[in-house]
Amino acid sequence: MGIADYFRERRKQQRGSASVAKERLQIIVSHERSQRDGPDYLPMLREELLQVVRRYVTVDPDAVKVEVDRQEDHEVLELNITLPEEAERVR
Amino acid sequence: MSRIIVVTSGKGGVGKTTTAASLAAGLAQSGYRTAVVDFDVGLRNLDLVMGCERRVVFDFVNVINEDARLNQALIKDKRLDNLALLPASQTRDKDALTAEGVERVIEELRAEFDYIVCDSPAGIERGANLAAYHADDAVVVTNPEVSSVRDSDRVLGLLASRTRRAEQGEPPVREHLLLSRYDPQRVKKGDMLSVEDVREILAVNLLGVIPESKAVLNASNAGVPVILEDDADAGQAYSDAVARYLGEQRPHRFLEVERKGLLGRMFGGQ
Ligand SMILES: Nc1ncnc2c1ncn2[C@@H]1O[C@H](COP(=O)(O)OP(=O)(O)OP(=O)(O)O)[C@@H](O)[C@H]1O
Ligand SMILES: [Mg+2]
């Protein structure tokens, strides 16, 4: 561990664990909200999309993200597919 | 028109029963006819916290099964004559409460009381659902700690989708956050989530902040809702919360580390 890392770690500890707790909570809560507020078919849609993508590219099970974003008067279905690095592709 | 308030949390042991007892006693003190119903089947506790465990004859399940009338099961509080408790059953059969039975008893309570406070069991399953189903208001009890905050958020999801109001497309359940076991000292040190942190994450109206307090244990040992302990910090915090619930504006207290006087600093230091 470099000296810079050492000081960064130290600073983190001094800042207290509450800020880490808050960050983690913000992430998990927003993730869980997007899942529960979405329509019932989201998990199935995600699963099927994953199968289609996998016909062409090898991806991790969590490479496909499907979320519904609610805006004032309409909803946006957001699909996010993370492709692997060039070297890991099947073809 | 009576109102039904569920005290819920998801996570266990965060202070629901303590809160239900004090909220009900506070509403009764303010002059409202109040019933408090223990939904924690198999884990009856509210009777102990309210100090009337020796007067339990019939319980919620007896009333549902029509083995007893509601008025035979309701226990009148000895201190406040417009306060009554409907105790939970000690049966191990978790299905003893039925949706129809609960509905019938709630309807019957509505005829006699202004406020009906429902003390929910922990969890987000059947028991918690039954306790929340008829709610007009929800008091979500949360401790400043990761798993409690996360569970509270899940409970908020349940209130927005699985209650009578949600199912019938009525105006949603009014949600209130009650942050309990708050320790300003630890917040200041950065070891505990602050009120602002929790508010920011849950984004719900803050009804009150109850400090971590020895008075809570003392009161439950004695079988007195802590709100009746006028000198206790937690009792005062609960009184403020009840007043806010009833529409009064009151500043939040007990959020800062108490400044000790000279003697306190000399002898009471940590
Ligand atoms: N503000 C507080 N300060 C200190 N101790 C507290 C406070 N609030 C609650 N407690 C203690 O925490 C414990 C759990 O409280 P309580 O029974 O009210 O929680 P609960 O949410 O109803 O639990 P359960 O999920 O088992 O029903 C009790 O021992 C109680 O005395
Ligand atoms: Mg309880």
Coordinates of all heavy atoms in Angstrom, one line a residue, chain B residues 129-220:
Chain B
N129 N -48.8 -7.4 6.8 CA -49.8 -6.9 5.8 C -51.2 -6.7 6.4 O -51.8 -5.8 6.1 CB -49.9 -8.0 4.7 CG -49.0 -7.7 3.5 OD1 -48.8 -6.6 3.1 ND2 -48.3 -8.8 3.1
L130 N -51.5 -7.7 7.2 CA -52.9 -7.6 7.9 C -52.9 -6.3 8.8 O -53.9 -5.6 8.8 CB -53.1 -8.8 8.7 CG -53.5 -10.1 8.0 CD1 -53.6 -11.3 8.9 CD2 -54.9 -9.9 7.3
A131 N -51.8 -6.1 9.5 CA -51.8 -4.9 10.4 C -51.9 -3.6 9.6 O -52.5 -2.6 10.0 CB -50.6 -4.9 11.3
A132 N -51.3 -3.6 8.4 CA -51.2 -2.3 7.6 C -52.4 -2.2 6.7 O -52.7 -1.0 6.2 CB -49.9 -2.4 6.8
Y133 N -53.1 -3.2 6.4 CA -54.1 -3.2 5.3 C -55.1 -2.1 5.4 O -55.4 -1.4 4.5 CB -54.8 -4.6 5.2 CG -55.7 -4.6 4.0 CD1 -55.1 -4.9 2.8 CD2 -57.1 -4.4 4.0 CE1 -55.8 -4.9 1.6 CE2 -57.8 -4.4 2.8 CZ -57.2 -4.7 1.6 OH -57.9 -4.7 0.5
H134 N -55.7 -1.8 6.6 CA -56.7 -0.8 6.8 C -56.2 0.6 7.1 O -57.0 1.5 7.3 CB -57.7 -1.3 7.8 CG -58.4 -2.6 7.5 ND1 -59.5 -2.6 6.7 CD2 -58.1 -3.9 7.8 CE1 -59.9 -3.9 6.5 NE2 -59.0 -4.6 7.1
A135 N -54.9 0.7 7.1 CA -54.3 2.0 7.6 C -54.7 3.2 6.8 O -54.8 3.2 5.6 CB -52.8 1.9 7.7
D136 N -54.9 4.3 7.6 CA -55.0 5.6 6.9 C -53.7 6.3 7.1 O -53.3 7.1 6.2 CB -56.1 6.5 7.6 CG -57.5 5.8 7.6 OD1 -57.9 5.5 6.4 OD2 -58.1 5.6 8.6
D137 N -53.0 6.1 8.2 CA -51.7 6.6 8.5 C -50.7 5.5 8.8 O -51.2 4.5 9.4 CB -51.7 7.5 9.7 CG -52.5 8.8 9.5 OD1 -51.9 9.7 9.0 OD2 -53.7 8.8 9.8
A138 N -49.5 5.7 8.5 CA -48.5 4.7 8.9 C -47.3 5.5 9.6 O -46.9 6.5 9.1 CB -47.9 4.0 7.7
V139 N -47.0 4.9 10.8 CA -45.8 5.4 11.5 C -44.7 4.4 11.2 O -44.8 3.3 11.7 CB -46.0 5.7 13.0 CG1 -44.7 6.0 13.7 CG2 -47.1 6.7 13.2
V140 N -43.7 4.7 10.4 CA -42.6 3.8 10.1 C -41.5 4.1 11.1 O -40.8 5.1 11.1 CB -42.2 3.9 8.7 CG1 -41.0 3.0 8.4 CG2 -43.3 3.7 7.7
V141 N -41.3 3.1 12.0 CA -40.2 3.3 13.0 C -38.9 2.8 12.5 O -38.8 1.6 12.0 CB -40.6 2.5 14.3 CG1 -39.6 2.7 15.4 CG2 -42.0 2.8 14.8
T142 N -37.9 3.6 12.5 CA -36.6 3.3 11.9 C -35.5 3.6 12.9 O -35.6 4.6 13.6 CB -36.4 4.2 10.7 OG1 -37.6 4.0 9.8 CG2 -35.2 3.8 9.9
N143 N -34.5 2.8 13.0 CA -33.3 3.1 13.7 C -32.3 3.6 12.7 O -32.3 3.1 11.6 CB -32.8 1.8 14.5 CG -33.7 1.3 15.6 OD1 -33.5 0.2 16.1 ND2 -34.6 2.1 16.0
P144 N -31.4 4.4 13.2 CA -30.3 5.0 12.3 C -29.3 4.0 12.0 O -28.1 4.1 12.5 CB -29.8 6.2 13.1 CG -30.1 6.0 14.5 CD -31.3 5.0 14.6
E145 N -29.6 3.0 11.2 CA -28.7 1.9 11.0 C -29.1 1.2 9.7 O -30.3 1.2 9.3 CB -28.9 1.0 12.2 CG -28.4 -0.4 12.2 CD -29.4 -1.4 11.8 OE1 -30.6 -1.3 12.1 OE2 -29.0 -2.3 11.0
V146 N -28.1 0.7 8.9 CA -28.4 0.3 7.5 C -29.6 -0.7 7.3 O -30.4 -0.4 6.5 CB -27.2 -0.3 6.8 CG1 -26.2 0.9 6.4 CG2 -26.4 -1.3 7.6
S147 N -29.6 -1.8 8.1 CA -30.7 -2.7 7.8 C -32.1 -2.2 8.1 O -33.0 -2.5 7.4 CB -30.4 -4.1 8.4 OG -30.0 -3.9 9.7
S148 N -32.1 -1.4 9.2 CA -33.4 -0.8 9.5 C -33.9 0.1 8.5 O -35.1 0.1 8.1 CB -33.3 -0.2 10.9 OG -34.5 0.5 11.2
V149 N -33.0 1.0 7.9 CA -33.4 1.9 6.9 C -33.9 1.2 5.6 O -34.9 1.6 5.0 CB -32.3 2.9 6.6 CG1 -32.7 3.9 5.5 CG2 -31.9 3.7 7.9
R150 N -33.1 0.2 5.3 CA -33.5 -0.5 4.1 C -34.9 -1.2 4.2 O -35.7 -1.1 3.3 CB -32.4 -1.6 3.8 CG -32.7 -2.4 2.6 CD -32.1 -3.7 2.7 NE -31.8 -4.3 1.3 CZ -31.0 -5.3 1.1 NH1 -30.3 -5.8 2.1 NH2 -30.8 -5.8 -0.1
D151 N -35.1 -1.8 5.4 CA -36.4 -2.5 5.6 C -37.5 -1.4 5.6 O -38.6 -1.7 5.1 CB -36.4 -3.2 6.9 CG -35.6 -4.5 6.8 OD1 -35.0 -4.8 5.7 OD2 -35.5 -5.3 7.8
S152 N -37.2 -0.3 6.2 CA -38.3 0.8 6.2 C -38.7 1.1 4.8 O -39.8 1.4 4.5 CB -37.8 2.0 6.9 OG -37.6 1.7 8.3
D153 N -37.7 1.2 3.9 CA -38.0 1.6 2.5 C -38.9 0.5 1.9 O -39.8 0.8 1.1 CB -36.7 1.7 1.7 CG -37.0 2.4 0.4 OD1 -37.4 3.5 0.4 OD2 -36.9 1.7 -0.7
R154 N -38.6 -0.8 2.2 CA -39.4 -1.9 1.7 C -40.8 -1.8 2.2 O -41.8 -2.0 1.5 CB -38.8 -3.2 2.0 CG -37.4 -3.3 1.3 CD -36.8 -4.7 1.6 NE -37.5 -5.7 1.0 CZ -37.2 -7.0 1.2 NH1 -36.3 -7.4 2.1 NH2 -37.9 -7.9 0.5
V155 N -40.9 -1.4 3.5 CA -42.3 -1.3 4.1 C -43.0 -0.1 3.4 O -44.2 -0.2 3.1 CB -42.2 -1.0 5.6 CG1 -43.4 -0.4 6.1 CG2 -41.9 -2.3 6.3
L156 N -42.3 0.9 3.1 CA -43.0 2.0 2.4 C -43.5 1.6 1.0 O -44.6 2.0 0.6 CB -42.0 3.2 2.2 CG -41.6 3.9 3.5 CD1 -40.4 4.9 3.2 CD2 -42.8 4.7 4.0
G157 N -42.8 0.7 0.4 CA -43.3 0.1 -0.9 C -44.5 -0.7 -0.7 O -45.5 -0.6 -1.5
L158 N -44.6 -1.4 0.4 CA -45.7 -2.2 0.7 C -47.0 -1.4 1.0 O -48.1 -1.6 0.6 CB -45.4 -3.1 1.9 CG -46.3 -4.1 2.5 CD1 -45.4 -5.3 3.0 CD2 -47.1 -3.6 3.6
L159 N -46.7 -0.3 1.7 CA -47.8 0.6 2.1 C -48.4 1.3 0.8 O -49.6 1.6 0.7 CB -47.3 1.7 3.0 CG -47.0 1.3 4.4 CD1 -46.2 2.4 5.1 CD2 -48.2 0.9 5.2
A160 N -47.6 1.5 -0.2 CA -48.0 2.1 -1.4 C -48.7 1.1 -2.4 O -49.3 1.6 -3.4 CB -46.8 2.8 -2.1
S161 N -48.6 -0.2 -2.1 CA -49.2 -1.1 -3.0 C -50.2 -2.1 -2.5 O -51.1 -2.6 -3.1 CB -48.1 -1.8 -3.8 OG -47.3 -2.6 -2.9
R162 N -50.0 -2.5 -1.2 CA -50.7 -3.6 -0.7 C -51.7 -3.3 0.4 O -52.1 -4.1 1.2 CB -49.7 -4.7 -0.1 CG -48.6 -5.1 -1.1 CD -49.0 -6.3 -1.9 NE -49.0 -7.5 -1.1 CZ -47.9 -8.2 -0.8 NH1 -46.8 -7.8 -1.3 NH2 -48.0 -9.3 -0.1
T163 N -52.1 -2.0 0.5 CA -53.1 -1.6 1.5 C -54.5 -1.4 0.8 O -54.6 -1.3 -0.4 CB -52.7 -0.3 2.1 OG1 -52.3 0.6 1.1 CG2 -51.5 -0.5 3.0
R164 N -55.5 -1.3 1.7 CA -56.8 -1.1 1.1 C -56.9 0.2 0.3 O -57.4 0.2 -0.8 CB -57.8 -1.0 2.3 CG -59.3 -1.0 1.9 CD -60.2 -0.7 3.1 NE -59.8 0.6 3.8 CZ -60.2 1.8 3.4 NH1 -61.0 1.9 2.4 NH2 -59.8 2.9 4.0
R165 N -56.3 1.2 0.8 CA -56.3 2.5 0.1 C -55.6 2.3 -1.3 O -56.1 2.9 -2.3 CB -55.5 3.6 0.9 CG -56.4 4.2 2.0 CD -55.6 5.2 2.8 NE -56.5 5.9 3.7 CZ -57.2 7.0 3.4 NH1 -57.0 7.6 2.2 NH2 -58.0 7.5 4.2
A166 N -54.5 1.6 -1.3 CA -53.8 1.4 -2.6 C -54.7 0.6 -3.6 O -54.9 0.9 -4.7 CB -52.5 0.8 -2.4
E167 N -55.3 -0.5 -3.0 CA -56.0 -1.4 -3.9 C -57.3 -0.7 -4.4 O -57.7 -1.0 -5.5 CB -56.4 -2.7 -3.1 CG -55.2 -3.6 -3.0 CD -55.5 -4.9 -2.2 OE1 -56.7 -5.1 -1.8 OE2 -54.5 -5.6 -2.0
Q168 N -57.9 0.1 -3.6 CA -59.1 0.8 -4.0 C -58.9 2.1 -4.7 O -59.9 2.8 -5.0 CB -60.1 0.8 -2.9 CG -60.3 -0.5 -2.2 CD -61.5 -0.6 -1.3 OE1 -62.0 0.4 -0.9 NE2 -61.9 -1.8 -1.0
G169 N -57.7 2.4 -5.0 CA -57.4 3.7 -5.7 C -57.8 4.9 -4.9 O -58.0 6.0 -5.5
E170 N -57.8 4.8 -3.6 CA -58.1 6.0 -2.7 C -56.8 6.8 -2.5 O -55.7 6.3 -2.9 CB -58.7 5.6 -1.4 CG -60.1 5.0 -1.5 CD -60.6 4.5 -0.2 OE1 -60.1 4.9 0.9 OE2 -61.5 3.7 -0.2
P171 N -56.9 8.0 -1.9 CA -55.7 8.7 -1.6 C -54.8 7.8 -0.8 O -55.2 7.0 0.0 CB -56.1 9.9 -0.8 CG -57.6 10.1 -1.2 CD -58.1 8.7 -1.6
P172 N -53.4 7.9 -1.0 CA -52.5 6.9 -0.4 C -52.5 7.1 1.1 O -52.9 8.1 1.7 CB -51.2 7.3 -1.0 CG -51.3 8.7 -1.5 CD -52.8 8.8 -1.9
V173 N -51.9 6.0 1.8 CA -51.7 6.1 3.2 C -50.7 7.2 3.5 O -49.7 7.4 2.8 CB -51.1 4.7 3.7 CG1 -50.7 4.7 5.1 CG2 -52.0 3.5 3.3
R174 N -51.0 8.0 4.6 CA -50.1 9.1 5.0 C -49.0 8.4 5.7 O -49.2 7.8 6.7 CB -50.8 10.1 5.9 CG -51.4 11.2 5.1 CD -51.6 12.4 6.0 NE -51.9 12.1 7.4 CZ -52.7 12.9 8.2 NH1 -53.3 13.9 7.7 NH2 -52.9 12.5 9.4
E175 N -47.7 8.7 5.2 CA -46.6 8.0 5.8 C -45.8 9.0 6.7 O -45.6 10.1 6.3 CB -45.6 7.5 4.7 CG -46.3 6.5 3.8 CD -45.6 6.4 2.4 OE1 -44.9 7.3 2.0 OE2 -45.9 5.4 1.8
H176 N -45.4 8.5 7.9 CA -44.6 9.3 8.8 C -43.4 8.5 9.2 O -43.5 7.3 9.5 CB -45.4 9.6 10.1 CG -46.8 10.2 9.8 ND1 -47.1 11.5 9.7 CD2 -48.0 9.5 9.6 CE1 -48.4 11.7 9.5 NE2 -48.9 10.5 9.4
L177 N -42.3 9.2 9.3 CA -41.1 8.5 9.8 C -40.8 8.9 11.2 O -40.9 10.0 11.6 CB -39.9 9.1 8.9 CG -38.5 8.7 9.4 CD1 -38.2 7.2 9.3 CD2 -37.4 9.4 8.6
L178 N -40.6 7.8 12.0 CA -40.2 8.1 13.4 C -38.8 7.4 13.6 O -38.7 6.2 13.6 CB -41.2 7.4 14.4 CG -41.0 7.8 15.8 CD1 -41.7 9.2 16.1 CD2 -41.5 6.8 16.8
L179 N -37.9 8.3 13.8 CA -36.5 7.8 13.9 C -36.2 7.6 15.4 O -36.4 8.5 16.2 CB -35.5 8.9 13.4 CG -34.1 8.4 13.2 CD1 -34.0 7.2 12.2 CD2 -33.3 9.6 12.6
S180 N -35.9 6.3 15.8 CA -35.8 6.0 17.2 C -34.4 5.5 17.5 O -33.7 5.1 16.7 CB -36.9 5.0 17.6 OG -36.9 4.8 19.0
R181 N -34.1 5.5 18.8 CA -32.8 5.1 19.4 C -31.7 6.0 18.8 O -30.6 5.5 18.5 CB -32.6 3.6 19.1 CG -33.8 2.8 19.6 CD -33.4 1.4 19.8 NE -32.5 1.3 21.0 CZ -32.4 0.2 21.7 NH1 -33.0 -0.9 21.3 NH2 -31.6 0.1 22.7
Y182 N -32.0 7.3 18.7 CA -31.0 8.2 18.1 C -30.0 8.6 19.2 O -30.4 9.0 20.3 CB -31.8 9.4 17.6 CG -31.0 10.3 16.7 CD1 -30.7 9.8 15.4 CD2 -30.6 11.6 17.0 CE1 -30.1 10.7 14.5 CE2 -29.9 12.4 16.2 CZ -29.7 11.9 14.9 OH -29.0 12.7 14.0
D183 N -28.7 8.6 18.8 CA -27.7 8.9 19.7 C -26.8 10.0 19.1 O -25.9 9.8 18.4 CB -26.8 7.6 20.0 CG -25.7 7.9 21.0 OD1 -25.4 9.0 21.3 OD2 -25.2 6.9 21.5
P184 N -27.1 11.3 19.5 CA -26.4 12.4 18.9 C -24.9 12.4 19.1 O -24.2 12.8 18.2 CB -27.0 13.6 19.7 CG -28.3 13.2 20.3 CD -28.1 11.7 20.5
Q185 N -24.5 11.8 20.2 CA -23.0 11.7 20.4 C -22.4 10.9 19.3 O -21.3 11.3 18.7 CB -22.8 11.0 21.7 CG -21.4 10.9 22.2 CD -21.2 11.9 23.4 OE1 -22.1 12.2 24.2 NE2 -20.0 12.5 23.4
R186 N -23.0 9.8 19.0 CA -22.4 8.9 17.9 C -22.6 9.5 16.5 O -21.8 9.3 15.7 CB -23.1 7.5 18.0 CG -22.8 6.8 19.3 CD -23.3 5.4 19.3 NE -22.4 4.7 18.4 CZ -22.7 3.4 18.1 NH1 -23.7 2.8 18.6 NH2 -21.9 2.8 17.2
V187 N -23.7 10.3 16.4 CA -23.8 10.9 15.1 C -22.7 12.0 14.9 O -22.1 12.1 13.8 CB -25.2 11.6 15.0 CG1 -25.3 12.5 13.8 CG2 -26.3 10.6 15.0
K188 N -22.4 12.7 16.0 CA -21.4 13.7 15.9 C -20.0 13.1 15.6 O -19.3 13.6 14.8 CB -21.3 14.4 17.3 CG -20.6 15.7 17.2 CD -20.7 16.5 18.5 CE -19.7 17.7 18.5 NZ -19.3 18.0 19.9
K189 N -19.8 11.9 16.2 CA -18.5 11.2 15.9 C -18.5 10.7 14.5 O -17.4 10.3 14.0 CB -18.3 10.1 16.8 CG -17.8 10.5 18.2 CD -17.2 9.2 18.8 CE -17.4 9.2 20.3 NZ -17.7 7.9 20.9
G190 N -19.6 10.6 13.8 CA -19.7 10.1 12.5 C -19.9 8.6 12.4 O -19.7 7.9 11.4
D191 N -20.3 8.0 13.5 CA -20.5 6.5 13.5 C -22.0 6.2 13.3 O -22.3 5.0 13.2 CB -20.2 5.9 14.9 CG -18.8 6.2 15.4 OD1 -18.0 6.4 14.5 OD2 -18.6 6.1 16.6
M192 N -22.8 7.1 13.3 CA -24.3 6.8 13.2 C -24.9 7.7 12.1 O -24.6 8.9 12.1 CB -25.0 7.0 14.5 CG -26.4 6.6 14.6 SD -27.2 6.9 16.2 CE -27.0 5.2 16.9
L193 N -25.8 7.2 11.3 CA -26.5 8.0 10.3 C -27.2 9.1 11.0 O -27.8 8.9 12.1 CB -27.5 7.1 9.6 CG -27.0 6.0 8.7 CD1 -28.0 5.0 8.3 CD2 -26.4 6.6 7.4
S194 N -27.2 10.3 10.4 CA -27.9 11.4 11.1 C -29.3 11.5 10.6 O -29.7 10.8 9.7 CB -27.2 12.7 10.6 OG -27.4 13.0 9.3
V195 N -30.1 12.3 11.3 CA -31.5 12.5 10.9 C -31.6 12.9 9.4 O -32.4 12.4 8.7 CB -32.2 13.7 11.6 CG1 -33.7 13.5 11.6 CG2 -31.8 13.8 13.0
E196 N -30.7 13.8 9.1 CA -30.7 14.3 7.7 C -30.4 13.2 6.7 O -31.0 13.1 5.6 CB -29.8 15.5 7.5 CG -30.2 16.8 8.2 CD -31.7 17.0 7.9 OE1 -32.2 16.8 6.8 OE2 -32.5 17.4 8.9
D197 N -29.5 12.3 7.0 CA -29.1 11.2 6.2 C -30.4 10.3 5.9 O -30.7 10.0 4.8 CB -28.1 10.3 6.8 CG -26.7 11.0 6.9 OD1 -26.5 12.0 6.2 OD2 -25.9 10.5 7.7
V198 N -31.0 10.0 7.0 CA -32.2 9.1 6.9 C -33.3 9.7 6.1 O -34.0 9.1 5.3 CB -32.6 8.6 8.3 CG1 -33.8 7.6 8.2 CG2 -31.5 7.9 9.0
R199 N -33.5 11.0 6.4 CA -34.6 11.7 5.7 C -34.3 11.8 4.2 O -35.2 11.6 3.4 CB -34.6 13.2 6.2 CG -35.5 13.4 7.4 CD -35.4 14.8 7.8 NE -36.6 15.5 7.4 CZ -37.0 16.6 7.9 NH1 -36.2 17.2 8.8 NH2 -38.1 17.2 7.5
E200 N -33.1 12.0 3.9 CA -32.7 12.1 2.5 C -32.9 10.8 1.8 O -33.4 10.8 0.7 CB -31.2 12.5 2.4 CG -30.8 13.0 1.1 CD -29.3 13.4 1.0 OE1 -28.8 13.9 2.0 OE2 -28.7 13.0 0.0
I201 N -32.6 9.7 2.4 CA -32.8 8.4 1.8 C -34.3 8.0 1.7 O -34.7 7.6 0.7 CB -32.0 7.3 2.6 CG1 -30.5 7.6 2.4 CG2 -32.3 5.9 2.0 CD1 -29.6 6.9 3.4
L202 N -35.0 8.2 2.8 CA -36.4 7.7 2.8 C -37.4 8.7 2.2 O -38.5 8.3 1.8 CB -36.8 7.2 4.2 CG -36.0 6.0 4.7 CD1 -36.5 5.7 6.1 CD2 -36.2 4.8 3.8
A203 N -37.1 10.0 2.3 CA -37.9 11.0 1.8 C -39.4 10.9 2.3 O -40.3 10.9 1.5 CB -37.9 11.0 0.2
V204 N -39.5 10.9 3.6 CA -40.8 10.8 4.2 C -40.9 11.8 5.3 O -39.9 12.2 5.9 CB -41.1 9.4 4.8 CG1 -42.4 9.3 5.5 CG2 -41.0 8.3 3.8
N205 N -42.1 12.4 5.5 CA -42.3 13.4 6.5 C -41.8 12.9 7.9 O -42.2 11.8 8.3 CB -43.8 13.7 6.6 CG -44.2 14.3 7.9 OD1 -43.7 15.3 8.3 ND2 -45.2 13.7 8.6
L206 N -41.0 13.7 8.6 CA -40.4 13.3 9.8 C -41.4 13.6 11.0 O -41.6 14.8 11.3 CB -39.1 13.9 10.0 CG -38.3 13.6 11.3 CD1 -37.9 12.2 11.3 CD2 -37.2 14.6 11.5
L207 N -41.9 12.6 11.6 CA -42.8 12.8 12.7 C -42.1 13.1 14.0 O -42.5 13.9 14.9 CB -43.7 11.6 12.9 CG -44.9 11.7 13.9 CD1 -45.9 12.8 13.5 CD2 -45.6 10.4 14.1
G208 N -40.9 12.5 14.2 CA -40.2 12.7 15.5 C -38.9 11.9 15.5 O -38.7 11.0 14.7
V209 N -38.1 12.3 16.4 CA -36.8 11.6 16.7 C -36.8 11.3 18.2 O -36.9 12.2 19.0 CB -35.6 12.5 16.4 CG1 -34.3 11.8 16.7 CG2 -35.6 13.0 14.9
I210 N -36.7 10.0 18.5 CA -36.7 9.5 19.8 C -35.3 9.2 20.2 O -34.7 8.3 19.6 CB -37.6 8.3 20.0 CG1 -39.0 8.5 19.4 CG2 -37.8 8.0 21.5 CD1 -39.8 9.6 19.9
P211 N -34.7 9.8 21.2 CA -33.4 9.5 21.6 C -33.2 8.1 22.2 O -34.2 7.6 22.8 CB -33.0 10.6 22.6 CG -34.3 11.0 23.2 CD -35.3 10.8 22.2
E212 N -32.1 7.5 22.0 CA -31.7 6.3 22.8 C -31.8 6.7 24.3 O -31.2 7.7 24.7 CB -30.3 5.9 22.4 CG -29.7 4.8 23.3 CD -30.2 3.5 23.0 OE1 -30.7 3.2 21.8 OE2 -30.3 2.6 23.9
S213 N -32.6 6.0 25.0 CA -32.8 6.5 26.4 C -33.0 5.3 27.4 O -33.7 4.4 27.1 CB -34.1 7.3 26.4 OG -34.6 7.6 27.7
K214 N -32.4 5.5 28.6 CA -32.6 4.5 29.6 C -34.1 4.5 30.1 O -34.6 3.5 30.6 CB -31.7 4.8 30.8 CG -30.2 4.6 30.5 CD -29.5 4.6 31.8 CE -28.0 4.5 31.6 NZ -27.3 5.8 31.3
A215 N -34.7 5.6 29.9 CA -36.1 5.8 30.4 C -37.0 4.7 29.7 O -38.0 4.3 30.3 CB -36.6 7.2 30.2
V216 N -36.7 4.3 28.5 CA -37.6 3.4 27.8 C -37.6 2.0 28.5 O -38.7 1.5 28.7 CB -37.1 3.2 26.3 CG1 -37.9 2.1 25.6 CG2 -37.3 4.6 25.6
L217 N -36.4 1.6 28.9 CA -36.4 0.3 29.6 C -37.0 0.4 31.0 O -37.8 -0.5 31.4 CB -34.9 -0.2 29.7 CG -34.7 -1.5 30.4 CD1 -35.3 -2.6 29.6 CD2 -33.2 -1.8 30.6
N218 N -36.8 1.5 31.7 CA -37.4 1.7 33.0 C -38.9 1.7 32.9 O -39.6 1.1 33.7 CB -36.9 3.0 33.6 CG -35.5 2.9 34.0 OD1 -34.9 1.8 34.2 ND2 -34.8 4.1 34.1
A219 N -39.4 2.4 31.9 CA -40.9 2.5 31.7 C -41.4 1.1 31.4 O -42.5 0.8 31.9 CB -41.2 3.5 30.7
S220 N -40.8 0.4 30.5 CA -41.4 -0.9 30.2 C -41.2 -1.9 31.4 O -42.1 -2.7 31.6 CB -40.8 -1.5 28.9 OG -39.5 -2.0 29.1

